[in-house]
Amino acid sequence: MRRDHTMSPLKVDLFDTRTPQQPLRAELRAAIDRVLDGGRYILGPEVAAFEEEFASFCGAEHGIGVANGTEAITIALRAMGVGPGDEVVVPSFSFYASAEAIPPTGAIPVFCDIDPQTFCVTAETVRAALTSRTKAVIAVHLFGNLAPIAEIEALGVPVLEDAAQAAGSLSTPGRPGGLGTAATWSFFPSKNLGGFGDGGAITTSDAELAERVRMLRFHGSHDKVTYEHVGYNSRLDELQAAVLRVQLPHVDRWADGRRAAAEHYAAAGLGDLVDLPRATDGSRPAWHLYVIRSPRIEALAVRLGEAGIGHKAYYRRPIHRQPAMVCELHLPGTDEAARTHLAIPMSPVLDRPQADAVVAALRG
Ligand SMILES: Cc1ncc(COP(=O)(O)O)c(C=O)c1O
């Protein structure tokens, strides 16, 4: 963008979902028309095609669309055999839903710590939370950074990837969604792959687990005649699937844009002012959120606000300190990240002038 001194300072939003979607408008309208013309709105051809396309994108054998990313976790855990009396290890530094989805299975959330530099769990932080009752670990790929799934699995416990924030992220062993026993996804509109409403999915390469998920999302039934489990009405809508199918082929390009935006920040000198998020070993995150840390974060947030730069502290109060989940625990990495983090603008189209504007505002 060409700018001169007569222009007012550049304001930058926290997200930009509209600009990347703009060139797809005609295709999106055609996809919606296709659903209206077909007259199938629940579990029709669009969901079936998206499930296949999305599973193949993740490098998993099976994809099952569900209503949202929260129910995806509950259903996946139940399909993994989690139930009353079990414990599920989950990081406290995550979106509340990562833990909220556990009690509906009958199991208890056990909170573990994170590495504040990567915002992800590690094998060490998970090991500290394991007991003889641990049935599964939820490893959250927070902000698009990838948790070390193989190292956690090596502890001998099944891992569910909470991949809600990680579409488009890459790693040496493969993509999220195909790394653990199963993975859950959210297609909330602001996500790297977002619909025009709520939506979610579960991916797995375990055929029996996939079959249990399919039943659970549909009232515990194969055929709507015999009901074998108490399940859920939790389905991805045809309209959302149609919209997601248009966007899926662009996710990798958008992820490249997000990685380029992180490079713009680095080139603009952001690392001299604050701590930058560190990619976990072997991963190339599609930064869903770009989250910096500083001991002076509140003052920096004020500067950004004054300059018209979008920013947000996502998890200032970690889950184990939320009223519904409160418990006495010493999680120093979590507390440090909670106290010092701040998301700054990130999108597939964030360019160098925008990165310069953010860094200039932080400099004050
Ligand atoms: C890490 C994480 N887990 C779970 C969820 C829940 O997804 P949803 O909002 O689709 O229920 C979200 C997103 O909102 C999330 O960011």
Side-chain angles (χ1 to χ4, degrees):
M1 185 197 288
R2 199 177 289 276
R3 299 177 53 75
D4 64 45
H5 67 278
T6 59
M7 292 174 78
S8 58
L10 194 56
K11 297 189 186 324
V12 190
D13 291 335
L14 188 57
F15 296 117
D16 184 352
T17 45
R18 208 169 302 163
T19 309
Q21 270 170 3
Q22 198 64 35
L24 305 179
R25 280 280 174 104
E27 233 186 299
L28 288 164
R29 280 205 192 92
I32 291 168
D33 278 345
R34 199 166 64 227
V35 175
L36 302 189
D37 290 343
R40 292 270 312 263
Y41 297 101
I42 304 287
L43 296 187
E46 298 293 336
V47 170
F50 174 71
E51 288 178 339
E52 213 163 283
E53 290 159 8
F54 188 63
S56 141
F57 172 81
C58 298
E61 298 283 321
H62 309 277
I64 306 103
V66 294
N68 55 65
T70 309
E71 290 182 359
I73 298 172
T74 306
I75 291 172
L77 288 175
R78 278 193 61 192
M80 287 165 72
V82 171
D86 294 332
E87 293 179 355
V88 176
V89 174
V90 63
S92 172
F93 192 75
S94 181
F95 178 50
Y96 180 66
S98 301
E100 181 192 27
I102 298 169
T105 67
I108 295 166
V110 173
F111 295 103
C112 73
D113 210 358
I114 52 148
D115 173 353
Q117 292 191 320
T118 64
F119 301 109
C120 287
V121 297
T122 66
E124 288 69 37
T125 66
V126 167
R127 186 189 284 117
L130 296 179
T131 75
S132 58
R133 289 187 296 279
T134 309
K135 188 77 175 206
V137 173
I138 298 178
V140 183
H141 297 312
L142 202 68
F143 306 143
N145 210 357
L146 296 185
I149 303 300
E151 289 174 29
I152 300 168
E153 276 184 333
L155 300 172
V157 61
V159 178
L160 177 64
E161 300 173 69
D162 179 346
Q165 302 187 2
S169 293
L170 304 169
S171 76
T172 316
R175 288 173 182 265
L179 302 174
T181 300
T184 58
W185 298 87
S186 165
F187 304 124
F188 186 83
S190 63
K191 296 289 193 256
N192 292 1
L193 172 60
F196 295 169
D198 278 314
I202 293 152
T203 53
T204 180
S205 292
D206 179 330
E208 287 176 14
L209 198 157
E211 196 42 44
R212 287 195 292 278
V213 168
R214 277 186 199 286
M215 286 177 78
L216 285 170
R217 76 158 170 194
F218 192 89
H219 305 288
S221 174
H222 279 299
D223 52 10
K224 223 178 171 181
V225 176
T226 307
Y227 297 87
E228 296 177 37
H229 304 281
V230 175
Y232 307 84
N233 175 359
S234 184
R235 298 166 309 218
L236 181 67
D237 291 339
E238 278 288 281
L239 276 170
Q240 299 303 342
V243 159
L244 292 167
R245 288 185 71 201
V246 173
Q247 298 185 77
L248 182 58
H250 302 277
V251 169
D252 279 337
R253 184 169 52 81
W254 291 339
D256 284 340
R258 290 174 181 277
R259 286 185 277 267
E263 280 165 28
H264 292 320
Y265 276 134
L270 183 62
D272 301 335
L273 306 175
V274 295
D275 288 331
L276 304 183
R278 187 170 66 70
T280 51
D281 290 347
S283 79
R284 293 182 57 220
W287 298 109
H288 169 57
L289 297 172
Y290 201 68
V291 177
I292 56 171
R293 286 182 305 127
S294 166
R296 302 177 300 123
I297 207 68
E298 298 297 357
L300 296 178
V302 170
R303 282 187 193 167
L304 292 174
E306 285 168 357
I309 307 287
H311 59 279
K312 186 170 171 180
Y314 273 80
Y315 313 126
R316 210 42 107 225
R317 189 194 268 204
I319 307 176
H320 78 286
R321 297 193 191 287
Q322 294 294 339
M325 300 267 172
V326 74
C327 48
E328 278 298 320
L329 282 171
H330 180 58
L331 301 177
T334 298
D335 284 337
E336 205 223 292
R339 200 173 48 241
T340 59
H341 80 284
L342 191 74
I344 59 172
M346 171 51 71
S347 83
V349 290
L350 190 135
D351 59 16
R352 180 62 197 265
Q354 289 176 315
D356 284 340
V358 175
V359 173
L362 285 170
R363 250 191 206 110

